[in-house]
Amino acid sequence: MFLSINSISLSLVELKFKLMKPSYLNASFLLFCISLLFSLPTNLLAQDVAEITKLKERAAQWVGENEKLSQVMVDKVFSFSELGFQEVESSKYLTGILKKEGFTIEYGVSGIPTAWFARWSNGEGPVIALGSDVDCIPKASQYPGVAYHKPIVEGAPGHGEGHNSGIPLNVTAALAVQKLMKSENIGGTLVIWPGIAEELVAAKAWYTRDGLFKDIDLCIFTHVSSNMGVSWGQSSGTGLISVAYTFNGEAAHAAGAPWRGKSALDAAELMNVGWNYKREHLDPLKRSHSIFTDGGDQPNVVPSKASIWYYFRDVTYEGIMEMYQMANDIAQGAALMTGTSVSSEILGTAWPRHFNKVIAETMDKNIQEVGLPVWSEADQQLAVAVQKEVNSKSTDGLATELVGLVPPVEKPVSGGSDDIGDVSWTVPTVTLRFPSNIPGLQGHHWSNAIAMATPIAHKGVTAGAKVVAMTIVDLLTQPKLIEDAWTYFKEVQTAETKYQPMIGPKDAPPIHLNKQIMNQYKEALRPFYFNEKKYDNYLQQLGISYPTLKSVTH
């Protein structure tokens, strides 16, 4: 049922939303609409649901019709293999697609050259942000579709988590919804943004600090997984703060006059020893890990400079900051013992995640509607072979049953971190996990790259894009969902816990990270960039028979 009001064709669903906007709230128009709505038949709700369902079906259909674009984007970003803060080719390519589709691009946000926000608006309505990560993993270069370790470039980075798939999913969903919004005159704004340097958890806290989500109504985040699902409430896993400690001492000839030196490396090692003794007295939910990034130049020179880099994780903000202060004290102690000085730099932060119940429940209904992809025999053969290759406890291949809506954890569970946590405490947010990878792999590993430019990844992206597109349609056409999402955010999620960034106003993003590694490998990787004008898919370009399994004589 449609109404003609001021020569504008409005569906009842759209009319309900427009009634909430100040520009429509003149007395005569409001009284007219109220009287009209009260005069409608009692089965209006069913009519609304039917209309929304048709809109969602059209959006999902358009996602399916765009599966070729999805496949090309997934393969292309996979081939770039770019580490955090160095996602130059990936960002250039993805923003180029969005710009051609009418999106306005803001480049270099938060002082990060590879970061961007893309925006397209069709007038008044909800502002919905779609985010996902785009960076890859060091030393994870891997031929896709090959069920054993075979680097494309030995030692080079590769998509050993699958971040090449999320932005392509979001772009596909957004283009379908954009088409629907144009054809049905549905108001609203779509914003697409990348999680730059997620493996360093080093961008989203800067986005939130700098107010990039201040005009956003809701955020849908997407992340690769081996099943399709969404959760709400406190998530399993941790938040963290990433800190580099640099000690400065005095150089000297290590054999001729060692007594004249003050070893910065001794200080860094003493800090690490002190922290390892502290581990015994930490709550089991806490996690920490470190690497030495600078240990001096050569053995016969007392190191005048040394650095050690830590991740400190816990399930609460307070616990994270407590660990940070402990580490600062130990660093000062190490400096005192060696007569050196110490400075520190925050390289990344992530709040523990908390996801919105209303959006999650809405999304889960669409997950149930879309379901998992239909896997081919070749897909399953590859998955089982990879699971066996890495001695996984799971050898059942790809998921065939949905995981379902995941409720809040009853007890905190330690584990990994993601800086989407900062966004989740700034605006109502959920993360859709979509089925583009193989279950039972260890993560951050070459094996996690094997599926990520194959039909497994492509099918998972298309299924996930349908869910995202359908959920956006729900949110655009049912303003009560947005109102309820904010009620949960204000009255439940943030009733007692108030977000504050772990970084200060003067902390700059560490955009120097990974530059040296990418400079080392970029030209070696360039000949392997996917040429979609010449080849149908990346497997074809690489000459891979799908799947390529390990032979007895290999």
Side-chain angles (χ1 to χ4, degrees):
M1 180 175 181
F2 287 81
L3 307 174
S4 181
I5 302 172
N6 294 335
S7 301
I8 301 175
S9 181
L10 298 175
S11 71
L12 291 173
V13 174
E14 186 181 357
L15 175 60
K16 289 179 182 178
F17 174 75
K18 290 183 178 293
L19 280 172
M20 300 176 67
K21 296 296 181 180
S23 59
Y24 283 84
L25 296 181
N26 63 72
S28 59
F29 182 75
L30 186 60
L31 288 172
F32 164 73
C33 291
I34 291 173
S35 63
L36 181 63
L37 289 173
F38 274 106
S39 67
L40 291 170
T42 56
N43 65 343
L44 172 63
L45 180 59
Q47 294 176 11
D48 276 0
V49 170
E51 182 179 349
I52 294 170
T53 299
K54 290 179 181 177
L55 295 176
K56 289 161 65 173
E57 288 172 350
R58 288 169 61 191
Q61 177 185 342
W62 286 332
V63 166
E65 291 173 359
N66 245 347
E67 63 182 1
K68 179 60 181 177
L69 173 63
S70 303
Q71 173 250 305
V72 170
M73 288 190 289
V74 167
D75 289 1
K76 193 86 167 181
V77 179
F78 182 95
S79 73
F80 293 142
S81 299
E82 293 176 307
L83 294 170
F85 290 124
Q86 310 306 319
E87 308 96 330
V88 176
E89 302 294 342
S90 301
S91 289
K92 180 181 178 181
Y93 169 68
L94 293 167
T95 56
I97 292 172
L98 290 168
K99 194 172 182 179
K100 287 180 182 178
E101 297 297 336
F103 281 74
T104 301
I105 316 295
E106 182 182 1
Y107 298 95
V109 297
S110 290
I112 302 172
T114 55
W116 45 271
F117 269 49
R119 182 180 295 259
W120 178 84
S121 181
N122 202 40
E124 281 193 275
V127 181
I128 299 174
L130 308 177
S132 196
D133 304 320
V134 71
D135 59 331
C136 71
I137 301 290
K139 295 182 175 64
S141 179
Q142 172 66 32
Y143 273 86
V146 176
Y148 49 86
H149 191 207
K150 185 181 179 182
I152 295 175
V153 174
E154 185 69 44
H159 275 284
E161 179 152 342
H163 285 175
N164 60 302
S165 55
I167 295 291
L169 185 159
N170 291 349
V171 170
T172 304
L175 295 183
V177 175
Q178 179 192 47
K179 185 175 180 179
L180 187 70
M181 293 169 73
K182 287 179 178 179
S183 67
E184 297 301 315
N185 192 29
I186 299 172
T189 299
L190 303 176
V191 178
I192 300 179
W193 58 275
I196 294 300
E198 188 279 333
E199 298 301 349
L200 303 169
V201 288
K204 300 184 188 79
W206 278 264
Y207 294 170
T208 58
R209 181 198 66 181
D210 296 341
L212 296 182
F213 293 93
K214 64 184 178 182
D215 66 342
I216 302 295
D217 289 313
L218 301 167
C219 181
I220 295 174
F221 195 73
T222 58
H223 196 284
V224 61
S225 186
S226 56
N227 205 310
M228 186 129 70
V230 65
S231 66
W232 66 274
Q234 182 179 352
S235 176
S236 62
T238 60
L240 69 77
I241 189 166
S242 165
V243 191
Y245 293 90
T246 298
F247 294 88
N248 286 281
E250 186 75 28
H253 194 297
W259 55 87
R260 298 184 65 177
K262 297 177 181 179
S263 174
L265 179 57
D266 286 353
E269 289 182 308
L270 284 167
M271 180 183 180
N272 206 36
V273 169
W275 182 258
N276 283 332
Y277 274 105
K278 173 61 77 173
R279 287 175 188 268
E280 179 185 354
H281 308 288
L282 296 178
D283 187 286
L285 291 172
K286 297 180 186 292
R287 294 283 189 276
S288 62
H289 353 277
S290 63
I291 61 168
F292 287 94
T293 57
D294 186 354
D297 300 303
Q298 58 191 59
N300 65 333
V301 180
V302 173
S304 61
K305 184 178 179 182
S307 297
I308 185 168
W309 180 11
Y310 285 93
Y311 278 15
F312 302 114
R313 305 184 195 249
D314 200 3
V315 296
T316 67
Y317 165 81
E318 292 78 12
I320 296 164
M321 300 310 286
E322 179 186 32
M323 293 175 76
Y324 178 37
Q325 186 57 54
M326 290 176 185
N328 290 342
D329 291 342
I330 291 173
Q332 289 294 336
L336 286 171
M337 283 189 285
T338 54
T340 59
S341 61
V342 63
S343 60
S344 64
E345 179 185 7
I346 296 175
L347 300 180
T349 73
W351 260 65
R353 291 154 287 176
H354 189 116
F355 296 126
N356 192 271
K357 182 179 182 182
V358 176
I359 312 174
E361 290 176 340
T362 303
M363 177 173 280
D364 182 61
K365 294 175 183 176
N366 295 318
I367 291 172
Q368 300 302 321
E369 184 68 26
V370 172
L372 289 167
V374 176
W375 308 116
S376 69
E377 182 179 352
D379 297 335
Q380 291 288 12
Q381 283 179 336
L382 179 68
V384 171
V386 174
Q387 289 169 336
K388 291 180 179 178
E389 178 70 13
V390 298
N391 297 315
S392 173
K393 293 180 180 179
S394 173
T395 56
D396 296 329
L398 300 168
T400 55
E401 294 184 7
L402 287 169
V403 69
L405 179 64
V406 180
V409 292
E410 295 182 5
K411 293 182 179 180
V413 178
S414 191
S417 313
D418 191 321
D419 49 353
I420 191 59
D422 289 78
V423 180
S424 76
W425 287 96
T426 305
V427 62
T429 300
V430 296
T431 292
L432 170 70
R433 294 194 169 269
F434 58 93
S436 283
N437 217 321
I438 297 169
L441 308 184
Q442 54 261 62
H444 292 186
H445 189 253
W446 54 263
S447 62
N448 293 82
I450 291 174
M452 291 313 305
T454 73
I456 296 171
H458 305 148
K459 293 173 185 178
V461 163
T462 295
K466 289 178 180 180
V467 171
V468 170
M470 293 165 70
T471 304
I472 297 172
V473 173
D474 280 324
L475 298 170
L476 289 173
T477 58
Q478 300 175 75
K480 185 65 163 58
L481 291 174
I482 298 174
E483 179 185 339
D484 290 347
W486 275 99
T487 297
Y488 175 87
F489 182 82
K490 293 176 180 178
E491 297 182 6
V492 179
Q493 180 179 343
T494 63
E496 297 180 358
T497 303
K498 304 300 180 185
Y499 172 74
Q500 50 184 319
M502 298 181 207
I503 54 172
K506 295 183 179 180
D507 287 314
I511 59 175
H512 62 281
L513 293 176
N514 290 324
K515 185 172 291 186
Q516 185 176 349
I517 299 174
M518 285 310 303
N519 286 343
Q520 179 181 354
Y521 290 106
K522 187 162 186 174
E523 291 310 311
L525 288 165
R526 191 181 298 276
F528 295 96
Y529 288 176
F530 176 45
N531 183 351
E532 70 275 23
K533 295 179 181 178
K534 187 175 180 180
Y535 300 97
D536 185 55
N537 56 59
Y538 198 40
L539 295 177
Q540 184 186 72
Q541 178 172 325
L542 296 175
I544 296 170
S545 175
Y546 180 76
T548 296
L549 307 180
K550 196 171 188 178
S551 65
V552 177
T553 58
H554 177 79

